[in-house]
Amino acid sequence: MTPRTEFAPGLSIQGITPPLRLRDFKLIAFDMDSTLINIECVDEIADAAGRKAEVAAITEAAMRGEIADYKESLRRRVALLAGVSVEHLEHVYRQRLKLHPGAAELVLACKGAGLKVLLVSGGFTFFTDRLRERLALDFARSNQLEIVDGRLTGRLLDQHWGDICDGAEKRRTLLQACDLIGCTPAQAIAMGDGANDLEMMAAAGLSVAYRAKPKVRQQAHIAIDMGGLDRLLEVVQP
């Protein structure tokens, strides 16, 4: 890619020549934790088990790309959640989870330009299902926590597509969505913040890093370091 240049304060680009047109794309894929929303859900769930610091340290290392096996890192974190109640998950969703600024506005702009919207996450269906309904998203894929008698068991359930939504699965999901709607990966936008987003970002025609880890920021076409998600519309015009 060409060297990164500052497009506007807190907004930089590389390898693209703006302005781009939103209507030239057909799909936008969002990561959830720390991209579409303000928290890492697994860390907030761990708070109820008194293990937040321990879990958050693993999450940070995984997002920075310092842990090679994302699946194993997630299994380790989920095991530490055993015994947490569904009521605490509800509390996390109602009281701690917030959309990042500009999230709803960007989704509406994309839908208005005819794009389909995918939420693909290494997080959990408990949250992605609610966000899919709340924002009227077209597709969502994430991991399913096992719940027995109203409490987490510390395990994940296999789903029809596989076991864990890691970086490779995010890429595969983006490509499947492209096939489903009849577009090429070059017509897709992928937005994320962590190392497990890099594979889908590399597969998409346009990659966007939002308040991202250094490794992700370095590789993205667009890096948004200040302001809301809808700053993408400064580069990719509706």
Side-chain angles (χ1 to χ4, degrees), residues 1-2 11 15 26 30 32 40 46 58 68 78 85 88 105 110 117 134 159-160 187 211 234:
M1 288 189 179
T2 57
L11 181 63
K26 302 299 182 185
F30 291 96
M32 179 176 70
E40 293 285 339
I58 301 172
V78 170
S85 69
H88 184 75
E105 291 82 356
C110 288
V117 185
R134 178 175 168 183
Q159 299 180 71
H160 68 89
Q187 295 172 294
R211 302 188 184 186
E234 295 178 33

Side-chain angles (χ1 to χ4, degrees), residues 29-47:
F30 291 96
D31 168 53
M32 179 176 70
D33 297 86
S34 297
T35 301
L36 192 69
I37 65 173
N38 65 320
I39 61 171
E40 293 285 339
C41 291
V42 66
D43 298 354
E44 300 306 317
I45 298 169
D47 196 24

Side-chain angles (χ1 to χ4, degrees), residues 22-227:
L22 197 57
R23 292 186 180 277
D24 291 335
F25 296 91
K26 302 299 182 185
L27 176 76
I28 185 166
F30 291 96
D31 168 53
M32 179 176 70
D33 297 86
S34 297
T35 301
L36 192 69
I37 65 173
N38 65 320
I39 61 171
E40 293 285 339
C41 291
V42 66
D43 298 354
E44 300 306 317
I45 298 169
D47 196 24
R51 312 296 289 269
K52 183 174 181 178
E54 184 177 356
V55 169
I58 301 172
T59 300
E60 177 67 13
M63 293 303 98
R64 292 180 69 89
E66 297 166 359
I67 296 177
D69 190 340
Y70 178 84
K71 290 187 177 185
E72 182 56 30
S73 81
L74 184 60
R75 290 189 183 101
R76 284 169 56 198
R77 285 175 282 165
V78 170
L80 295 171
L81 307 181
V84 173
S85 69
V86 171
E87 286 77 9
H88 184 75
L89 271 66
E90 291 283 2
H91 173 78
V92 170
Y93 179 74
R94 292 194 309 268
Q95 302 297 326
R96 302 190 184 186
L97 185 155
K98 308 294 181 186
L99 293 175
H100 261 142
E105 291 82 356
L106 178 56
V107 168
L108 282 173
C110 288
K111 292 174 74 69
L115 281 73
K116 298 297 184 182
V117 185
L118 164 67
L119 179 59
V120 58
S121 172
F124 309 118
T125 56
F126 187 91
F127 303 102
T128 57
D129 287 352
R130 286 161 172 75
L131 289 170
R132 179 179 181 177
E133 181 176 355
R134 178 175 168 183
L135 295 172
L137 308 180
D138 298 288
F139 313 107
R141 179 165 294 180
S142 60
N143 304 301
Q144 188 170 357
L145 294 162
E146 183 179 58
I147 299 172
V148 175
D149 296 329
R151 293 189 177 274
L152 303 185
T153 66
R155 294 185 293 271
L156 294 165
L157 295 174
D158 288 353
Q159 299 180 71
H160 68 89
W161 47 262
D163 56 355
I164 289 176
C165 189
D166 61 356
E169 182 60 30
K170 286 189 173 192
R171 177 183 183 275
R172 191 168 75 92
T173 303
L174 180 141
L175 295 177
Q176 285 180 337
C178 288
D179 285 342
L180 186 64
I181 66 175
C183 76
T184 67
Q187 295 172 294
I189 303 169
M191 180 176 283
D193 75 300
N196 63 328
D197 297 315
L198 285 171
E199 291 187 59
M200 76 165 180
M201 290 170 69
L206 184 67
S207 55
V208 186
Y210 184 70
R211 302 188 184 186
K213 300 297 184 285
K215 185 175 181 180
V216 180
R217 186 183 185 278
Q218 290 166 7
Q219 297 184 39
H221 291 111
I222 300 170
I224 302 170
D225 301 316
M226 295 169 50

